[in-house]
Amino acid sequence: MDMLRITNLQKRFGDKAVLRGLNLSVPEGCIFGFIGKNGSGKTTTMKTVLGLLKADGGEITVNGEQVVYGQTATNRHIGYLPDVPEFYSFMTAEEYLAFCGEITGLTAAENRQRRTELLELVGLKDEKHRIGGFSRGMKQRLGIAQALLNSPKLLICDEPTSALDPVGRKEILDILLSVREQTTVLFSTHVLSDVERICTDVAFLNNGVVETQGKLSEIKTRFRREEYLLETASDDHLAAIIRAFPSMEKADDNQLVFCEGDASVSDVMRFMANEGISPLRLDRMEPTLESLFMEVTKK
Amino acid sequence: MRSLIAFTKKEFTDQVRSGKVLFLGILFSLFGIMNPAIAKLTPWLMEQMADSLAESGMIVTSVTITALDSWMQFFKNVPMALIAFVLLESSIFTKEFRSGTLILSLTKGLNRYKAVLSKTFTLMMMWTASYWLYFGITYAYTVYYWDNSVVRHLMPSVVFWWVFGLWVISLVVWFSTLRSTNTGVLVGTGGIVLASYLCSMIPKAAKYLPTFLTDGNSLIYGLKEPDEYIAALIVTAAMTLVLLAVSFTIFNKKQL
Ligand SMILES: Nc1ncnc2c1ncn2[C@@H]1O[C@H](COP(=O)(O)OP(=O)(O)O)[C@@H](O)[C@H]1O
Ligand SMILES: [Mg+2]
């Protein structure tokens, strides 16, 4: 079953259409990377899912229940970490989690147990200072703790790693990986290496619609073009090869890139054997998310 | 109910830890002491100025100070205290809109009306505590120095002013649900109070307006009877309740 399903979502700000019929389905139990450039509408989509923004059209269901703007009952299934999380700066991390637990309606015992577990999980167990003095990374970690407090079925994180240094980023990604057993994770990002590191599923947001979505591995296969990189010892060799196979392109010093469709690998190898050119390297290129993203969004 | 209590507790923790409680406590105490102090010092001040006044042809006869002078100061200074209160507390909603802290509480299942209720309650409690502290201090000094029995209708006059403060708070709450910036709230609230003040220039309208409740001097001097304030009191109380009810509905639909 889909934990989150968005059908034909539309949202405009003034005369600017930000979402133009967005469709998205997030299967249960995955870590879903929601990828899009700055200003593409990731935050808008998430806020609409949380009932914080009113959609102009379309339908959203969370765990099979319809999302209603304003008083949003579906939020009991959701843990949310906003893009720039701010907490009551006059509280300590523990006081804040206790407060959240009371708001959510945990019993006193559950509340104490959950917040101990979570402070441990996000590494703020011994932090006794008030939140006002927290670093960005600490706030993000506290943000994840508060989002997980009521054991949500769906954890929504809005660019949790974007403002962080590599260490802070790794900490967040590790936390997200570790909660995968208990909850479905949807996080937005424009940092593709993060997606590559932890996501099982991805969707590319572009021009207000989801251009492509699915399992990361399937998408990579679907977009895999039989692309090769050939490196030789000298430019003369390359020139000879290009003369024989005019469709090839020079990529770099001593390097060629070509597609199986343009020149078959076996033909190229036979030619090189005849000419006595030995390759330094012949690689089949894996598509990177970067190249996928470029391809998906260039339309 | 538990979430309402938790949120209200959070509001009061904020009031204490941000130093607002201390600040208002000191401010309203100082204002409270000032009223009898100024009254007490008036004869001395007059005496100091008597010579220069005499040179310019004015004769200063000796002035007798009574408790009424202290209470006159009370009503003269309380608007300043209320303005300070509003300036300090008016961002109670907007600072949460700006920082996004409220969004997290709401996405955790806090009903929106509870946020409004908690904050309204907090503001009204803070005003009530500050105002009666101000009153208590003025009262204590006044009965110590003078005979307070010359003062007519003291209790109604101060209660009316307190109600006026509650009405101003309901304006703050209402504008907080309409606007997203602190400036918006202050301009709106100030605008309505000013409008009420200007409208009270129209003799027929005056006694129905909230600003009418601020005329404590007429009561303590016995120039007016408390009965004459009933219309204004009803209008003000009704307006306060309606404004709060409207605030709940607006806030339910507010885009945060
Ligand atoms: N409240 C708003 N009023 C007007 N425009 C907005 C508002 N919120 C977002 N936008 C616009 O909508 C677009 C998408 O914003 P956003 O969802 O924040 O993008 P992302 O999170 O992907 O960076 C942006 O161009 C932004 O300027
Ligand atoms: Mg964003």
Side-chain angles (χ1 to χ4, degrees):
Chain A
M1 194 194 65
D2 287 337
M3 185 46 67
L4 168 67
R5 179 187 287 274
I6 302 178
T7 325
N8 195 27
L9 183 63
Q10 302 181 22
K11 175 71 192 174
R12 47 171 58 251
F13 290 111
D15 57 0
K16 185 174 178 196
V18 176
L19 306 178
R20 323 163 178 238
L22 177 144
N23 294 302
L24 185 74
S25 47
V26 178
E28 196 166 355
C30 67
I31 300 187
F32 199 104
F34 188 39
I35 307 165
K37 289 182 283 209
N38 283 328
S40 57
K42 302 181 294 293
T43 301
T44 306
T45 309
M46 292 180 157
K47 285 195 164 178
T48 320
V49 171
L50 286 151
L52 297 170
L53 283 176
K54 197 170 169 54
D56 297 325
E59 191 175 278
I60 305 173
T61 60
V62 173
N63 197 29
E65 287 171 46
Q66 192 143 350
V67 172
V68 184
Y69 169 71
Q71 292 296 340
T72 313
T74 40
N75 283 352
R76 72 184 188 283
H77 302 305
I78 305 179
Y80 171 52
L81 172 64
D83 44 1
V84 189
E86 284 298 334
F87 313 101
Y88 300 113
S89 54
F90 55 87
M91 291 184 176
T92 65
E94 178 158 13
E95 281 171 340
Y96 185 71
L97 290 185
F99 163 75
C100 291
E102 283 167 22
I103 295 277
T104 321
L106 299 183
T107 65
E110 280 172 334
N111 196 345
R112 201 168 319 112
Q113 190 205 339
R114 282 299 285 164
R115 80 172 173 262
T116 316
E117 282 168 18
L118 287 167
L119 285 172
E120 173 91 56
L121 174 77
V122 300
L124 291 173
K125 188 166 53 101
D126 300 318
E127 187 54 57
K128 296 287 174 242
H129 293 103
R130 292 193 185 162
I131 298 168
F134 277 21
S135 70
R136 265 191 138 133
M138 287 161 82
K139 281 191 191 166
Q140 291 286 359
R141 282 183 280 143
L142 176 60
I144 294 186
Q146 62 82 30
L148 289 171
L149 192 65
N150 54 337
S151 314
K153 294 199 161 91
L154 176 62
L155 175 65
I156 297 184
C157 299
D158 194 353
E159 305 214 18
T161 57
S162 294
L164 302 183
D165 60 26
V167 178
R169 170 167 289 172
K170 184 176 175 338
E171 284 168 350
I172 297 290
L173 293 178
D174 288 346
I175 294 171
L176 291 183
L177 259 185
S178 71
V179 299
R180 188 185 165 190
E181 301 296 313
Q182 298 122 51
T183 176
T184 307
V185 180
L186 169 68
F187 80 99
S188 70
T189 183
H190 60 254
V191 185
L192 296 165
S193 59
D194 291 352
V195 174
E196 206 111 40
R197 215 133 108 191
I198 66 169
C199 286
T200 57
D201 293 61
V202 293
F204 294 101
L205 177 62
N206 191 41
N207 286 328
V209 294
V210 168
E211 300 272 9
T212 305
Q213 70 168 300
K215 292 255 160 284
L216 183 56
S217 52
E218 282 168 20
I219 288 185
K220 280 194 166 176
T221 322
R222 185 163 5 130
F223 279 85
R224 173 173 292 142
R225 291 174 309 154
E226 304 286 313
E227 209 171 19
Y228 293 87
L229 180 134
L230 173 65
E231 189 175 334
T232 56
S234 79
D235 265 344
D236 296 344
H237 292 161
L238 278 195
I241 299 173
I242 291 178
R243 243 176 280 123
F245 301 92
S247 65
M248 286 187 172
E249 269 174 53
K250 196 164 168 209
D252 206 339
D253 277 350
N254 301 353
Q255 287 187 351
L256 274 174
V257 174
F258 65 96
C259 289
E260 174 77 27
D262 301 332
S264 92
V265 184
S266 47
D267 286 349
V268 176
M269 288 173 74
R270 199 169 300 121
F271 172 78
M272 285 164 64
N274 289 340
E275 299 290 314
I277 303 173
S278 58
L280 286 186
R281 179 147 83 107
L282 178 61
D283 279 345
R284 172 148 159 185
M285 303 220 301
E286 276 295 319
T288 60
L289 265 183
E290 236 92 17
S291 66
L292 277 184
F293 184 57
M294 289 305 171
E295 188 155 336
V296 166
T297 56
K298 79 182 166 218
K299 288 181 273 185
Chain B
M1 195 60 195
R2 278 191 57 217
S3 59
L4 187 64
I5 293 170
F7 201 82
T8 310
K9 198 175 86 192
K10 179 239 60 157
E11 290 297 336
F12 279 99
T13 312
D14 187 5
Q15 295 288 328
V16 173
R17 293 197 185 163
S18 65
K20 291 201 177 72
V21 168
L22 185 69
F23 181 82
L24 287 175
I26 292 175
L27 189 79
F28 277 72
S29 300
L30 284 178
F31 272 119
I33 293 169
M34 225 166 76
N35 301 327
I38 291 178
K40 195 79 195 152
L41 288 177
T42 308
W44 179 77
L45 282 172
M46 296 294 245
E47 218 167 89
Q48 295 296 306
M49 289 190 296
D51 287 348
S52 59
L53 285 174
E55 274 167 27
S56 62
M58 280 176 76
I59 313 287
V60 180
T61 51
S62 73
V63 281
T64 4
I65 299 298
T66 68
L68 284 166
D69 294 282
S70 179
W71 290 113
M72 246 175 72
Q73 286 297 324
F74 178 94
F75 290 113
K76 188 167 154 242
N77 289 326
V78 66
M80 266 189 297
L82 177 63
I83 289 173
F85 179 88
V86 169
L87 286 177
L88 189 71
E89 298 283 11
S90 59
S91 62
I92 191 167
F93 282 86
T94 50
K95 70 167 187 269
E96 286 217 50
F97 298 158
R98 202 182 51 236
S99 65
T101 40
L102 193 58
I103 285 185
L104 284 178
S105 301
L106 295 178
T107 57
K108 293 226 122 48
L110 179 75
N111 282 321
R112 286 180 175 223
Y113 82 87
K114 288 183 180 168
V116 182
L117 198 60
S118 291
K119 285 179 184 287
T120 308
F121 177 73
T122 306
L123 287 181
M124 290 189 164
M125 286 308 293
M126 291 299 293
W127 165 245
T128 303
S130 308
Y131 181 81
W132 291 108
L133 174 70
Y134 173 68
F135 168 80
I137 288 174
T138 303
Y139 184 83
Y141 280 98
T142 306
V143 295
Y144 178 73
Y145 285 122
W146 299 285
D147 171 17
N148 208 37
S149 65
V150 300
V151 181
R152 306 281 319 272
H153 308 308
L154 179 61
M155 255 336 191
S157 70
V158 293
V159 168
F160 291 158
W161 229 105
W162 170 68
V163 172
F164 177 78
L166 295 181
W167 172 73
V168 171
I169 287 173
S170 72
L171 288 174
V172 169
V173 171
W174 182 49
F175 278 106
S176 295
T177 62
L178 289 175
R179 304 252 78 94
S180 297
T181 63
N182 196 23
T183 321
V185 175
L186 287 174
V187 168
T189 307
I192 299 276
V193 174
L194 188 67
S196 170
Y197 179 73
L198 290 178
C199 287
S200 64
M201 306 278 182
I202 309 167
K204 279 204 177 108
K207 68 177 177 135
Y208 298 104
L209 292 166
T211 29
F212 195 70
L213 297 178
T214 61
D215 182 12
N217 286 332
S218 301
L219 276 171
I220 55 171
Y221 279 97
L223 302 175
K224 284 197 181 111
E225 289 300 307
D227 292 359
E228 298 173 54
Y229 288 72
I230 289 202
L233 190 65
I234 290 175
V235 169
T236 307
M239 236 177 120
T240 304
L241 292 178
V242 169
L243 283 175
L244 293 179
V246 170
S247 303
F248 288 135
T249 357
I250 299 176
F251 195 66
N252 269 340
K253 292 289 163 213
K254 188 178 174 71
Q255 193 131 311
L256 289 172

